[in-house]
Amino acid sequence: MEERSFKKYIVLWLSQSLSGLGSSMTGFALVLWAYGQSHCAMSVSLMSFCNYVPYVLLSLFVGSFIDRHKKKKIMLVSDSIAALGSLAVLAFLLMGRLAVWKIYVINVIVGITNAFQQPASAVAVGRLVPESKISNVSGMNSFSNNLIVIFSPMLAAFLFAAGGLPLILLIDLSSFVFAFCVLLFFITIPEKVQDKKYGSPFEGIAEGFAFLKKEKGILYIMVTMALINFCSRLTYENILSPMILARSSGDSIVLGTVNACMGIGGIVGGIIVSVKKESRHKAVAIYASAALSFLFGDLMMAVGRNVFWWSAAAIAASLPIPFIMANQNTILYRRIPVAMQGRVFAVRNAIQYSTIPVGIILGGYLADYVFEPFMASGSRLAGMLGTITGEGAGSGMAAMFLCTGICGFTVSMVSCFNREIRKLD
């Protein structure tokens, strides 16, 4: 029975991965289209911002809804609404009425659906997969997610050059239809009757904060990771694509190659984490890995002049990420009682991810209105920075990578020596 259930999950995983590939290609193609319309980093930043803000805000409050309703129905409805967003983009495009602001609105809707779809999918995995197979599923998800990161930019860049945005949207919608049919007709997700009555979601948040007042080390990890997320999102989340396009004369193949290398680094890091022994000093490993990511990834991205150096920087930045996540999760799961994990994780999301939308929107603003104009000003300081980052279009964004590399490395090293955090080891 368990083997049969696991085989069904494999079918679901394959179909959802294929749909994820289609969605990822659409996201990449929309970045190319939006930047081609405006040549403005802020336009790319706002796309991510509009997707992320509703997801972060709603994630705190959807837990009881997910528990009370059928996971399969939530997944089907959420995926359908997201697909309607892609269909709307295609319709506007064919009518010649697609505008960047319409993509922002659609991204808000997709962000809302993700807030319901992702936790419902996580619960569904626990219902479908035997406990002995959970670690296998984690490896499968890591593998598929990073493969999507690798191949979706390259496929999207090739298809964008061959058939434009409409071709990619049609492929995305086709992959959705396939995944929808698999889930609807072939997958049965067991449901459990919920006897517990749920009060206000704010009650759970308050209990989570009360726990963290006693576990200061965990609270400090969340706060410092929020700062690290802020530094990384200033650059990688939004200005990496505009910077590469600006410095490569709009070469989408170069951008796809760099993004693919981000995925390669994540796969290599994940493989190493899965086969190595558990670290004895987990807290130190978190911040040492973050420091290395900023030191080599951001700084190399800042001084790079061609696709070779940008690709090497992408691998250096992404390879340590699985070490950060693995050690952080190990600490959290072992230190937080099972009965408190949902509430504490909700608070973790509020703290740790709250800086991401701020970093996304601020990064685009700084790129367009501060760093790029400054590097083009001809001032003495701009000339000095130009000897490090190079000059011309994109040099201001490269200077931003230089700043986040230094700031992120500093935050990571200071956090590494925090007394309360080190007690967690």
Side-chain angles (χ1 to χ4, degrees), residues 287-361:
Y287 296 103
S289 300
L292 290 172
S293 178
F294 282 111
L295 181 63
F296 292 104
D298 289 52
L299 296 186
M300 200 184 304
M301 196 68 74
V303 302
R305 301 287 196 281
N306 53 52
V307 66
F308 171 80
W309 286 108
W310 295 326
S311 299
I315 293 174
S318 59
L319 192 148
I321 303 302
F323 292 85
I324 299 173
M325 301 306 299
N327 286 286
Q328 183 186 11
N329 287 335
T330 301
I331 289 174
L332 295 180
Y333 278 110
R334 290 185 179 175
R335 300 283 297 199
I336 303 172
V338 173
M340 287 288 298
Q341 285 180 359
R343 283 160 283 181
V344 176
F345 285 160
V347 175
R348 189 274 299 270
N349 291 344
I351 296 174
Q352 196 162 310
Y353 303 143
S354 62
T355 57
I356 291 178
V358 180
I360 290 173
I361 200 70

Side-chain angles (χ1 to χ4, degrees), residues 11-12 15 72 177-187:
V11 174
L12 177 64
S15 64
K72 179 175 176 177
V177 171
F178 173 72
F180 183 91
C181 291
V182 168
L183 178 58
L184 180 62
F185 297 113
F186 297 101
I187 305 298

Side-chain angles (χ1 to χ4, degrees), residues 41-339:
M42 180 62 80
S43 64
V44 177
S45 301
L46 284 172
M47 288 172 63
S48 298
F49 180 82
C50 291
N51 186 279
Y52 216 99
V53 168
Y55 172 78
V56 171
L57 293 178
L58 283 176
S59 291
L60 285 172
F61 307 108
V62 300
S64 60
F65 179 89
I66 300 297
D67 286 333
R68 292 198 307 267
H69 295 82
K70 292 182 178 181
K71 315 307 172 287
K72 179 175 176 177
K73 184 180 293 185
I74 294 172
M75 293 169 66
L76 288 170
V77 172
S78 299
D79 288 343
S80 298
I81 295 173
L84 287 174
S86 296
L87 186 61
V89 172
L90 179 60
F92 286 130
L93 186 65
L94 294 178
M95 291 187 296
R97 295 182 179 178
L98 183 61
V100 175
W101 70 266
K102 293 179 181 178
I103 297 175
Y104 297 157
V105 175
I106 292 170
N107 276 7
V108 169
I109 296 171
V110 172
I112 293 172
T113 64
N114 285 340
F116 289 88
Q117 200 273 350
Q118 292 186 11
S121 298
V123 175
V125 169
R127 303 282 172 83
L128 282 172
V129 178
E131 188 175 339
S132 60
K133 298 286 189 180
I134 290 293
S135 61
N136 301 91
V137 168
S138 179
M140 289 162 59
N141 289 335
S142 176
F143 178 76
S144 62
N145 289 339
N146 281 292
L147 277 182
I148 288 173
V149 171
I150 292 173
F151 287 110
S152 64
M154 292 189 293
L155 287 173
F158 173 77
L159 294 170
F160 191 80
L165 186 56
L167 176 61
I168 295 174
L169 288 166
L170 287 172
I171 293 173
D172 181 15
L173 290 168
S174 299
S175 68
F176 155 74
V177 171
F178 173 72
F180 183 91
C181 291
V182 168
L183 178 58
L184 180 62
F185 297 113
F186 297 101
I187 305 298
T188 301
I189 300 174
E191 297 290 342
K192 294 182 180 179
V193 178
Q194 295 291 328
D195 297 324
K196 182 178 178 180
K197 293 183 179 180
Y198 295 90
S200 167
F202 293 100
E203 294 176 12
I205 297 172
E207 291 175 359
F209 274 112
F211 174 83
L212 291 175
K213 286 182 180 179
K214 301 175 183 177
E215 291 283 348
K216 291 184 178 179
I218 295 178
L219 177 60
Y220 290 161
I221 282 183
M222 294 177 183
V223 172
T224 53
M225 289 305 297
L227 293 174
I228 288 172
N229 283 336
F230 175 73
C231 290
S232 67
R233 288 325 192 273
L234 277 173
T235 48
Y236 282 98
E237 184 71 21
N238 51 15
I239 71 165
L240 175 62
S241 296
M243 186 192 78
I244 299 298
L245 290 172
R247 309 198 88 179
S248 64
S249 300
D251 193 331
S252 59
I253 301 298
V254 169
L255 178 58
T257 301
V258 174
N259 280 328
C261 287
M262 295 280 289
I264 291 172
I267 286 179
V268 173
I271 292 173
I272 296 173
V273 167
S274 66
V275 300
K276 71 180 287 293
K277 292 183 178 180
E278 187 178 292
S279 175
R280 293 178 57 190
H281 304 288
K282 299 173 187 61
V284 173
I286 291 172
Y287 296 103
S289 300
L292 290 172
S293 178
F294 282 111
L295 181 63
F296 292 104
D298 289 52
L299 296 186
M300 200 184 304
M301 196 68 74
V303 302
R305 301 287 196 281
N306 53 52
V307 66
F308 171 80
W309 286 108
W310 295 326
S311 299
I315 293 174
S318 59
L319 192 148
I321 303 302
F323 292 85
I324 299 173
M325 301 306 299
N327 286 286
Q328 183 186 11
N329 287 335
T330 301
I331 289 174
L332 295 180
Y333 278 110
R334 290 185 179 175
R335 300 283 297 199
I336 303 172
V338 173

